[in-house]
């Protein structure tokens, strides 16, 4: 079976908030799912998969708590770039991101997110370089966020991984389960191309060459300057 077939499994886009020695931090994942239903006698459980080498994974291992902020289609791509393609090991990852820190020390992202959940780890399983956390939701948003549109209060639409790839031109970092080497948006990359050396975004406007872009142009995903792009074949 070709790995690209797994792209038919649907995913959401989430910011995982953690606390560590460098203070609150966060990362982007698309591997969150609800595993039990809500009931009067027991809170719902969710599952989160994360690469064991990630700083956020190590923080969850140590603290046993994390937050899930559900990104919306109106969450800026710059937020995904800042949280998804840089490490929190040296701190400062949230400096330019609107957020709040809960009394448990974990952050909640406020950049047009739909809602948030505070989770406490109940079980974990190591498999294939990934750590699978099963956690109990112990607090969260009372309702989903919305925006005013044409005189109506409309709920924000959760961002899917498909939307991230097809509408924002996004890709998965190498440590993500959905990462496919040398592939973008389900298509084999051929010929000369210009790729961001930080986040892997490929510039592919057929009507405007990369060299023609102004000097102050930056990557739409991680906001790195034009000089961060490399020519590849």
């Amino acid at each position: 079976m070709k790995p690209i077939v797994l792209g038919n499994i649907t995913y959401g886009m989430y910011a995982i908030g953690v606390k560590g020695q460098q203070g609150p931090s966060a990362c982007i994942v698309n591997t969150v799912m609800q595993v039990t239903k809500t009931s009067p006698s027991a809170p719902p459980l969710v599952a989160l998969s994360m690469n064991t080498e990630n700083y956020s994974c190590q923080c969850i291992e140590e603290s046993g708590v994390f937050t899930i902020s559900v990104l919306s289609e109106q969450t800026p791509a710059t937020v995904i770039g800042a949280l998804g393609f840089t490490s929190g090991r040296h701190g400062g990852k949230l400096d330019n991101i609107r957020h709040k820190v809960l009394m448990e020390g974990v952050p909640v992202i406020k950049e047009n997110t739909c809602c948030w959940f505070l989770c406490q780890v109940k079980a974990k399983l190591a498999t294939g370089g990934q750590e699978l956390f099963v956690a109990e939701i112990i607090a969260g948003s009372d309702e989903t966020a919305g925006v005013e549109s044409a005189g109506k209060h409309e709920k924000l639409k959760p961002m899917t991984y498909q939307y991230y790839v097809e509408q924002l031109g996004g890709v998965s970092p190498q440590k993500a389960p959905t990462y496919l080497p040398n592939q973008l948006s389900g298509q084999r990359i051929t010929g000369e191309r210009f790729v961001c050396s930080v986040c892997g975004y490929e510039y592919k406007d057929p009507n405007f060459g990369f060299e023609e872009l102004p000097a102050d142009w930056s990557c739409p995903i991680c906001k790195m300057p034009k000089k961060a792009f490399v020519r590849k074949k």
Side-chain angles (χ1 to χ4, degrees):
M1 183 189 75
K2 295 181 179 179
I4 196 172
V5 176
L6 293 170
N8 290 286
I9 300 176
T10 57
Y11 303 88
M13 293 291 289
Y14 312 95
I16 303 300
V18 300
K19 64 177 180 179
Q21 295 182 354
Q22 302 299 327
S25 185
C27 69
I28 301 295
V29 306
N30 60 3
T31 48
V32 172
M33 64 175 292
Q34 182 178 343
V35 294
T36 63
K37 67 178 182 179
T38 304
S39 69
S41 59
L45 297 178
V46 293
L48 163 67
S49 177
M50 188 174 292
N51 191 288
T52 56
E53 296 182 3
N54 284 358
Y55 173 72
S56 293
C57 182
Q58 297 171 12
C59 290
I60 297 174
E61 286 267 16
E62 295 172 359
S63 70
V65 294
F66 62 91
T67 58
I68 302 171
S69 297
V70 181
L71 306 189
S72 78
E73 292 183 353
Q74 294 188 1
T75 299
T78 52
V79 172
I80 300 175
L83 300 182
F85 294 94
T86 59
S87 174
R89 296 184 189 279
H90 304 293
K93 197 172 181 180
L94 294 171
D95 287 351
N96 298 311
I97 305 294
R98 289 190 298 121
H99 68 283
K100 66 178 180 180
V101 180
L102 304 181
M103 61 183 297
E104 290 79 6
V106 286
V108 168
I109 306 304
K110 300 177 66 176
E111 297 277 3
N112 291 335
T113 50
C114 295
C115 58
W116 61 269
F117 307 103
L118 173 63
C119 305
Q120 185 167 23
V121 175
K122 293 298 181 182
K124 58 185 179 180
L125 174 67
T127 174
Q130 300 283 318
E131 191 78 23
L132 179 65
F133 298 101
V134 177
E136 176 184 299
I137 296 177
I138 57 177
S141 306
D142 291 328
E143 59 184 30
T144 57
V147 293
E148 297 297 327
S149 177
K152 297 181 180 179
H153 187 74
E154 299 180 355
K155 290 183 178 180
L156 291 173
K157 187 176 181 180
M159 183 186 298
T160 64
Y161 181 67
Q162 182 179 15
Y163 181 94
Y164 167 65
V165 172
E166 295 181 355
Q167 301 300 319
L168 302 183
V171 295
S172 293
Q174 291 188 11
K175 294 181 181 180
T178 49
Y179 172 74
L180 292 174
N182 300 321
Q183 292 178 339
L184 184 67
S185 302
Q187 301 295 325
R188 177 66 62 178
I189 298 173
T190 58
E192 187 176 73
R193 54 199 175 95
F194 291 88
V195 180
C196 178
S197 60
V198 175
C199 71
Y201 171 80
E202 179 193 15
Y203 179 80
K204 55 174 185 176
D205 186 338
N207 301 312
F208 203 82
F210 183 80
E211 286 91 345
E212 300 175 81
L213 293 172
D216 60 353
W217 181 87
S218 61
C219 175
I221 300 299
C222 68
K223 292 303 176 182
M224 291 298 290
K226 184 179 178 181
K227 63 182 181 181
F229 279 68
V230 295
R231 187 194 307 267
K232 294 187 176 182
K233 293 185 178 181

